[in-house]
């Protein structure tokens, strides 16, 4: 037995390497038996062949330099005590075993492996493509081990897929060669396999990869994350018999297990991004602008909206508080020829009555105390665009008269000014009140109602939108989870049922606020009903069939009476009933 003493005169260091194998490689590339850190050396620069007690050193490649006793040679027989030089390193063949055998070299190799793992982890965190992840993995371990050939197999739906391959030569590895007894054993037992001398191994000498890829040394390890088998990593070398050792396998196992965790996290992050992208695409298909919904009621809203938007017709948007009336108005503006003009919104119920006229139509300097300069009103500011009058049912009667005149003449007069100013605007109004009832009570002008209500859009309450509730909830969840860095990713089944059954008096605005709060306050990945502040076993009231039928009849007869100007006889003929039935239901309506 002999060993090499390697001296680095530049760094003043010396280390001993045992010559345990019949063929020992020397070069600057990781994976050689003797690694010499000199850029002037080739990846595998020279090799020492042991035959009996004789050691022969030769260069690998015609252009490689080797000096023995100061003379350049390509091949030489070494005797104990002989010295030779490779690059800046001085090496001497000595008899016996080194005091520390290969321990320092193994320790250095282990450190290099961990350094490569750190580099790989950083690269993986910057990579979003899963296919590139496996390519990076293979490139890293090939450099670490000095393997000539290798591939990564991934398991998807119990099917093997070639994720990456590597070959020092230029020929392409045949994908059909990656399924053989070595890979089968690793997948079945989830344990690594090492074959140091594949050609002479009784069990694996006839494995397809050994025969077809012409490898003489093989390592194959599973890529495991907890109980999940992500795939297998196969490495082969066809240049040096016995290149891979148990120490190599031990380091590779540690490296592969750590790499598997990093890769699993990266793959999960990529899948989450894909899921979010698919969700956004699904929402886009089910949305109209910034409005989301696929229920029959919302599809009808979208249909009417798209028909009226290109015109200049006045639109009245009806619906409960929080149903998204302003979103409808903005979408009408966005789809109209006026989209490049301004969109001005004003809440008629939020401004004091004595200031509302000035806000709407503007005023002249000195028109009243505090009017220190001319002011442009909302109608003038909306010139060429759209004005949205929210909560129109709250507008005082005296202003209703002036608004009606503006709609008829398309001109406004500022407070304190008698000169009319033409305005080019489109009006969209909205209210949560029953304007027909307001007209009967004398609180809203009927002529203004018909001016505003050239077309009406009725927004359904959230409780009547079915699966839209879940779609909206997921949309808000992903938006706020991303905004606040929350780990919340979905809802429990119980929470979904509770959301679908809850009454939602505040409609979409209430749903959004509840989810936003839950995302911030909860540390759960799946939100439950308690996180949203709704009873877990909420069940919406279901009326008996006869009661529901009676309510429908009352509402339907009332609509028929409205259409016939409350002419009872004509309504009875249209409905095909006795006039006494109409009188009976009128009494019920008056009692209600």
């Amino acid at each position: 037995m002999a060993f090499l003493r390697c001296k680095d005169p530049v760094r003043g260091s010396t280390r001993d390497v045992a010559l345990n194998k019949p063929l020992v490689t020397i070069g600057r590339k990781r994976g050689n038996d003797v690694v010499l850190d000199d850029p002037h050396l080739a990846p595998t620069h020279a090799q020492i062949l042991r035959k009996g007690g004789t050691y022969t050193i030769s260069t690998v490649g015609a252009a490689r330099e080797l000096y023995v006793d100061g003379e350049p040679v390509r091949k030489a027989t070494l005797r104990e005590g002989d010295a030779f030089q490779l690059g800046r390193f001085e090496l001497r063949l000595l008899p016996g075993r080194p005091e520390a055998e290969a321990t320092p070299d193994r320790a250095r190799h282990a450190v290099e492996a961990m350094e490569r793992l750190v580099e790989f982890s950083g690269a993986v965190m910057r990579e979003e493509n899963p296919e590139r992840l496996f390519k990076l993995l293979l490139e890293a371990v090939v450099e670490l081990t000095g393997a000539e050939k290798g591939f990564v197999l991934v398991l998807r739906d119990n099917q093997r897929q070639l994720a990456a391959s590597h070959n020092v030569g230029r020929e392409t590895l045949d994908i059909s060669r990656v399924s053989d007894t070595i890979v089968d054993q690793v997948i079945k037992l989830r344990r690594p396999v090492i074959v140091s001398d594949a050609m002479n191994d009784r069990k694996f000498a006839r494995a397809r990869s050994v025969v077809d890829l012409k490898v003489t040394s093989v390592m194959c390890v599973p890529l495991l994350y907890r109980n999940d088998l992500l795939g297998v990593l196969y490495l082969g070398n066809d240049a040096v018999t016995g290149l891979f050792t148990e120490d190599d396998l031990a380091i590779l196992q540690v490296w592969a297990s750590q790499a598997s965790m990093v890769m699993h996290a990266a793959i999960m992050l990529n899948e989450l991004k894909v899921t979010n992208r698919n969700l956004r695409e699904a929402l886009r298909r089910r949305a109209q602008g910034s409005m989301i919904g696929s229920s029959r009621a919302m599809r009808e809203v979208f249909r009417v909206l798209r028909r009226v938007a290109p015109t200049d017709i006045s639109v009245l948007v009806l619906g409960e508080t929080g149903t998204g009336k302003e979103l409808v108005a903005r979408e009408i503006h966005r789809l109209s020829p006026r989209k490049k003009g301004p969109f001005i919104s004003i809440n008629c119920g939020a401004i004091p009555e004595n200031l509302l006229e000035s806000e709407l139509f503007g005023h002249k300097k000195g028109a009243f105390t505090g009017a220190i300069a001319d002011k442009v009103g909302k109608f003038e500011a909306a010139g060429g665009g759209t004005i949205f009058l929210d909560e129109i049912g709250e507008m005082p009667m005296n202003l209703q008269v002036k608004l009606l005149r503006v709609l008829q003449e398309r001109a406004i007069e500022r407070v304190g000014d008698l000169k009319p100013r033409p305005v080019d605007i489109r009006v969209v109004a909205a209210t949560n009140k029953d304007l027909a009832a307001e007209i009967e009570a004398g609180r809203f002008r009927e002529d203004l109602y018909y001016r505003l209500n050239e077309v009406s859009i009725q927004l359904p309450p959230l409780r009547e939108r079915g699966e839209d509730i879940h779609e909206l909830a997921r949309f808000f969840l992903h938006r706020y989870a991303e905004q606040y860095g929350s780990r919340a990713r979905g809802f429990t089944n119980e929470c979904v049922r509770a959301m679908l059954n809850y009454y939602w008096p505040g409609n979409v605005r209430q749903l959004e606020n509840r989810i936003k709060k839950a995302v911030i306050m909860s540390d759960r990945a799946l939100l439950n009903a308690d996180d949203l502040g709704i009873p877990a076993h909420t069940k919406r009231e279901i009326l008996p069939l006869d009661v529901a039928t009676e309510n429908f009849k009352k509402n339907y007869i009332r609509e028929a009476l409205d259409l016939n100007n409350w002419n009872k006889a004509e309504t009875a003929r249209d409905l095909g009933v006795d006039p006494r039935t109409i009188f009976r239901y009128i009494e019920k309506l008056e009692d209600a």
Side-chain angles (χ1 to χ4, degrees), residues 152-361:
V152 178
L153 278 181
V154 296
L155 302 180
R156 292 175 179 166
D157 300 325
N158 294 322
Q159 298 294 319
R160 303 177 188 183
Q161 297 180 18
L162 184 66
S165 63
H166 170 83
N167 195 355
V168 172
R170 294 188 177 276
E171 68 273 13
T172 302
L173 294 183
D174 189 345
I175 295 179
S176 66
R177 298 174 180 174
V178 301
S179 177
D180 68 347
T181 52
I182 296 177
V183 174
D184 292 341
Q185 178 168 319
V186 172
I187 291 176
K188 180 180 179 181
L189 301 179
R190 299 192 175 193
R191 294 176 183 170
V193 168
I194 180 170
V195 187
S196 293
D197 188 357
M199 292 297 186
N200 297 315
D201 189 281
R202 280 188 286 179
K203 184 175 182 180
F204 295 117
R206 297 193 178 185
R208 289 188 63 185
S209 60
V210 173
V211 175
D212 293 344
L213 300 181
K214 300 181 178 62
V215 293
T216 58
S217 184
V218 174
M219 282 195 298
C220 188
V221 295
L223 297 173
L224 291 166
Y225 176 75
R226 296 182 179 174
N227 293 324
D228 295 331
L229 180 63
L230 303 180
V232 296
L233 171 62
Y234 182 106
L235 298 176
N237 200 298
D238 54 5
V240 183
T241 301
L243 175 65
F244 298 136
T245 66
E246 292 291 342
D247 290 336
D248 295 326
L249 181 62
I251 290 177
L252 184 61
Q253 277 186 269
V254 173
W255 201 93
S257 64
Q258 296 299 313
S260 295
M261 289 192 290
V262 175
M263 291 178 63
H264 182 270
I267 291 171
M268 291 299 100
L269 179 61
N270 181 78
E271 288 184 357
L272 179 60
K273 290 179 179 179
V274 172
T275 299
N276 286 340
R277 188 163 58 247
N278 291 342
L279 176 60
R280 286 193 293 269
E281 178 61 22
L283 290 175
R284 186 190 64 78
R285 291 194 300 268
R286 299 175 182 179
Q288 176 63 54
S290 56
M291 294 180 291
I292 297 168
S294 56
S295 62
R296 179 182 299 177
M298 289 306 295
R299 290 200 304 270
E300 176 62 17
V301 168
F302 297 158
R303 185 190 69 82
V304 175
L305 187 154
R306 288 191 292 267
R307 293 294 295 272
V308 302
T311 71
D312 253 358
I313 198 169
S314 296
V315 180
L316 180 62
V317 186
L318 304 171
E320 297 179 7
T321 299
T323 50
K325 295 186 287 295
E326 184 167 346
L327 289 179
V328 172
R330 289 185 179 276
E331 186 64 9
I332 290 174
H333 175 72
R334 188 183 73 86
L335 297 178
S336 75
R338 298 174 174 269
K339 63 182 178 182
K340 293 184 179 179
F343 176 88
I344 303 296
S345 174
I346 185 168
N347 189 324
C348 301
I351 302 174
E353 182 177 344
N354 59 329
L355 298 178
L356 183 58
E357 182 177 3
S358 174
E359 283 294 318
L360 290 174
F361 309 126

Side-chain angles (χ1 to χ4, degrees), residues 31 35 68 76 98 139 162 190 223 290 350 371 400 459 507 536 538:
V35 179
V68 177
E139 290 173 354
L162 184 66
R190 299 192 175 193
L223 297 173
S290 56
Q400 291 180 31
L459 286 178
N507 292 292
T538 298

Side-chain angles (χ1 to χ4, degrees), residues 388-458:
F388 175 54
L389 303 175
D390 198 8
E391 304 299 345
I392 189 68
E394 303 293 338
M395 180 173 283
M397 286 294 288
N398 63 317
L399 281 181
Q400 291 180 31
V401 176
K402 295 184 178 181
L403 176 59
L404 176 63
R405 184 176 178 184
V406 169
L407 296 178
Q408 290 173 336
E409 300 179 4
R410 297 291 164 172
I412 59 102
E413 290 181 5
R414 293 181 180 179
V415 177
D417 188 8
L418 299 179
K419 178 183 176 182
R421 298 170 183 266
V423 288
D424 174 24
I425 55 168
R426 182 190 193 162
V427 177
V428 179
T431 183
N432 61 359
K433 287 189 172 184
D434 182 351
L435 291 186
E438 293 294 299
I439 291 171
E440 287 186 18
R443 293 189 291 269
F444 201 85
R445 293 184 61 93
E446 187 173 8
D447 47 3
L448 176 60
Y449 171 74
Y450 290 119
R451 274 287 178 185
L452 295 172
N453 189 23
E454 291 181 312
V455 170
S456 66
I457 296 179
Q458 179 71 52

Side-chain angles (χ1 to χ4, degrees), residues 55-80:
Y55 293 87
T56 303
I57 185 168
S58 60
T59 57
V60 179
R64 314 278 161 81
E65 291 185 344
L66 165 67
Y67 291 86
V68 177
D69 294 330
E71 295 294 329
V73 298
R74 291 189 57 195
K75 185 175 182 180
T77 300
L78 299 174
R79 294 183 295 274
E80 293 180 355

Side-chain angles (χ1 to χ4, degrees), residues 30 37 107-123 140 143-144 251 254-255:
R30 294 168 181 164
D37 184 18
R108 180 178 54 80
H109 192 44
V111 171
E112 290 177 352
M114 293 306 104
E115 290 174 348
R116 288 292 300 151
L117 178 59
V118 172
E119 295 173 7
F120 170 74
S121 300
E143 184 176 350
L144 175 69
I251 290 177
V254 173
W255 201 93

Side-chain angles (χ1 to χ4, degrees), residues 87-108:
R88 72 171 188 267
F89 289 88
E90 298 174 0
L91 299 95
R92 187 177 296 275
L93 181 67
L94 298 174
R97 294 179 178 274
E99 293 182 6
E101 191 87 11
T103 301
D105 197 50
R106 288 200 301 270
R108 180 178 54 80

